[in-house]
Amino acid sequence: MPQESENSRRKTVVISGATGGIGRFLCRQLRQEGCRVVILSRQADMPADIAADMAVTCDLMDAGAIATAGVAIRRACPRIDLFISCAGTISPQTVGVLDSERVRRQVETNLTGVILLTQEVLPNIAVGGRILFVNSMAGVFPLAGSAVYTASKFGLRGFARALAHELRPRGIHVQSVFPGSVDTSMFRDEMEQGGSLLNFMSWPQAPERAAAWILAAARGRKEEHFPSIIDRIFPPLFLCSPIFLRLCMPVMTVWSRLTRWCYRRRRGRG
C-alpha cells in the first residue's frame, strides 16, 4: 500500500508548546499511539529528544510569525484531528512594580498568541475534531503576586467557552484542562521568582502523569476538566464569595507551607 495512504489514515495532532515539560510527554505518548505529530516551537530546528514528525517555527509574541506558521501547517496538514495549545509562560510580580515587557510576554504568549494561532489552524480542523487548551488553576483561582498570569488564564478560559459555542454547529469539540502544579522547570523557575505559595495546595505532579491525564481528557466529552472534585467545586465558590476565600486562606496557607516544606525536603534528598 502506498505510504501516502498509510499517512492519510493516521490521526494528525498539532501541538504548540511542545518543547516544554508537559509538551514533550504529550508528543511521546501521541507518537506511541500512532499519531502524526506536528509541533510549533520558537526554535528553528526540532530538538533531538522531541518525538514529532514535523516542526514549524512559531513565536506566539509575533503575529506575523503566527500567520506564516499557519500557512505552513495548513499546507502540511489538510486534516487536523486534534489541536493542543500547551504554550505558556509566567513571571511573578506584584502590581505596582510590573515590568511592561513581562506583562506583554505573558498576555501575548498565554492569550493573544493562542487566539491568533487557533484562528490559523481552525480551517483545517476536521468535523469531529477537537481543540484542547491546556489552561491552569490560575484560570479559575486568583493568584496574588501573579495577577497578569491570572488575567491571561482567566481570559483563555473565556475564549475557550465562547469558542465552544461557535464551533458546536460545525461538530468541533472545544475543551480546557486545568492541571494543578506540575513539576517542570517552568514551575521551579516560577517558585524561585516568588511564585504564589498556593501552588503547593496540591503536590506537584510529574509531567508525564499530567500529559497522560490531558490526553485522557481529550478523549472525553467534558468541556472543562479539573484534577479533582475539590478543584472543580471550590474555585467557583471562592469567586462567588470573596469572604469565603478570606476565611479559608489561613488554612490554605498553612497547608501550602507544609506541602512546600515536604517538596523541598524530598528534592534535597534527590
Side-chain angles (χ1 to χ4, degrees):
M1 184 175 291
Q3 185 67 31
E4 289 79 10
S5 298
E6 293 178 6
N7 286 338
S8 66
R9 292 208 309 267
R10 294 173 68 192
K11 182 178 179 181
T12 297
V13 183
V14 176
I15 307 177
S16 68
T19 58
I22 297 176
R24 292 170 183 266
F25 287 99
L26 288 173
C27 291
R28 185 177 303 174
Q29 293 182 36
L30 285 165
R31 282 291 297 276
Q32 289 174 351
E33 293 175 7
C35 297
R36 180 190 183 206
V37 178
V38 177
I39 69 169
L40 295 110
S41 170
R42 284 178 297 180
Q43 303 176 39
D45 299 315
M46 182 166 61
D49 61 339
I50 297 294
D53 297 273
M54 176 182 175
V56 177
T57 304
C58 182
D59 183 351
L60 289 178
M61 294 180 63
D62 184 339
I66 294 172
T68 300
V71 172
I73 291 171
R74 291 194 301 273
R75 287 176 177 170
C77 309
R79 174 191 173 100
I80 298 173
D81 298 284
L82 173 62
F83 168 56
I84 301 178
S85 174
C86 193
T89 187
I90 182 170
S91 297
Q93 280 187 316
T94 57
V95 177
V97 296
L98 291 175
D99 175 84
S100 60
E101 179 59 24
R102 290 189 182 186
V103 172
R104 186 175 78 90
R105 185 186 308 122
Q106 292 177 91
V107 173
E108 293 188 1
T109 302
N110 300 339
L111 181 59
T112 310
V114 175
I115 293 172
L116 295 177
L117 180 58
T118 302
Q119 177 176 259
E120 290 293 333
V121 301
L122 184 57
N124 286 29
I125 295 181
V127 174
R130 292 170 181 256
I131 297 173
L132 187 146
F133 297 102
V134 179
N135 203 307
S136 163
M137 286 305 295
V140 293
F141 183 91
L143 290 180
S146 297
V148 175
Y149 180 76
T150 297
S152 67
K153 291 299 185 177
F154 264 70
L156 181 60
R157 186 191 190 196
F159 173 71
R161 297 188 74 164
L163 185 64
H165 287 290
E166 287 188 20
L167 298 184
R168 189 171 294 116
R170 290 180 51 182
I172 297 174
H173 194 54
V174 180
Q175 300 170 286
S176 295
V177 293
F178 300 83
S181 299
V182 181
D183 197 5
T184 62
S185 58
M186 176 177 162
F187 170 75
R188 293 189 289 273
D189 289 344
E190 174 191 354
M191 300 318 298
E192 288 179 4
Q193 295 172 30
S196 174
L197 178 65
L198 296 181
N199 280 304
F200 287 99
M201 274 298 296
S202 61
W203 187 267
Q205 62 179 312
E208 58 267 36
R209 183 176 179 182
W213 175 74
I214 289 168
L215 293 180
R219 290 187 283 268
R221 297 303 303 171
K222 292 182 180 178
E223 288 189 6
E224 296 189 330
H225 296 257
F226 295 89
S228 69
I229 294 177
I230 292 177
D231 293 315
R232 186 166 61 246
I233 293 176
F234 276 86
L237 290 177
F238 291 146
L239 291 178
C240 291
S241 177
I243 294 177
F244 181 54
L245 174 58
R246 287 198 294 271
L247 291 173
C248 293
M249 190 62 72
V251 175
M252 295 165 63
T253 299
V254 171
W255 177 265
S256 297
R257 290 187 189 280
L258 177 61
T259 305
R260 183 180 64 179
W261 180 84
C262 294
Y263 171 81
R264 288 176 171 174
R265 185 176 177 86
R266 180 174 295 185
R267 280 190 59 82
R269 289 176 178 173

